[in-house]
Amino acid sequence: MSGDPSQILKKIGLKVTKNREQVISILQESRRPLNHQEIMEKLPKDESWDRVTIYRALSDLEEKNLLNSLHSTDRMTYFELKGEGKSSNADSHGHLVCNLCGKIECIDDPWKGLPSAKQLNGFEMESVEIVFRGKCKSCQ
C-alpha cells in the first residue's frame, strides 16, 4: 500500500488527483524533507502545474496527518511523508537544521534517548520530533 499514491489517498479519505499523487510520489522518492519550491521543480516538465494547487495539496495531506512539516531558519516549511506513506525512510528519525543556510537533513538512526513507558506515565505518544540546530559543514 505504501508505494501507491492513489491507494494512500483513498485510505486517508482524500479524492485522488494528479496533484496529490505527484506530491506523494515526489516525497516518497526524496531522502530529505522538501519545500514547496523544490517540489515544484521536481514535477514533470511536460505538464503545467499551478503553485496554489500544489500548496493546497500539501495542506490537505498535512491536515490528514500524512506529512510532517518542519520549519527552517530560512522561513521555509519543509515537508516529508510519515507513517504508511513512506517508501523507505524509517518512521523514527531526527533532523539536522542549519541555522545559517536553512538546510535540513534527516538522521536515519532512531533517537536512543526516548523516555521509557514508565517515564511517560500513561501519556499516549502520537509523534516525536528530534531536531538538532547548528551549522552545517558548508557554513562552518
Side-chain angles (χ1 to χ4, degrees), residues 3-114:
D4 183 4
S6 63
Q7 290 301 313
I8 293 169
L9 289 166
K10 289 175 186 173
K11 184 170 183 175
I12 63 174
L14 282 178
K15 181 180 177 185
V16 177
T17 67
K18 72 174 184 174
N19 295 308
R20 291 174 181 157
E21 286 180 306
Q22 284 295 325
V23 168
I24 290 171
S25 180
I26 288 167
L27 290 173
Q28 283 177 327
E29 294 171 9
S30 180
R31 298 196 43 78
R32 65 177 184 81
L34 300 174
N35 63 37
H36 178 269
Q37 182 60 39
E38 292 170 323
I39 292 168
M40 291 294 298
E41 290 169 3
K42 292 182 182 293
L43 290 166
K45 306 293 184 230
D46 58 343
E47 295 183 50
S48 63
W49 302 92
D50 181 55
R51 296 180 63 79
V52 174
T53 305
I54 299 301
Y55 271 120
R56 201 172 303 122
L58 287 164
S59 177
D60 292 343
L61 295 171
E62 186 176 22
E63 187 176 297
K64 289 291 189 174
N65 206 28
L66 189 68
L67 300 182
N68 280 328
S69 61
L70 302 138
H71 303 283
S72 180
T73 54
D74 60 3
R75 294 187 174 182
M76 294 281 223
T77 301
Y78 290 77
F79 301 93
E80 68 179 355
L81 290 170
K82 63 180 177 180
E84 293 186 57
K86 291 185 174 211
S87 60
S88 61
N89 288 352
D91 258 348
S92 298
H93 70 278
H95 296 94
L96 303 174
V97 179
C98 180
N99 288 331
L100 297 178
C101 71
K103 180 179 177 181
I104 296 178
E105 292 184 39
C106 292
I107 304 170
D108 292 331
D109 295 333
W111 179 257
K112 304 295 186 212
L114 293 176

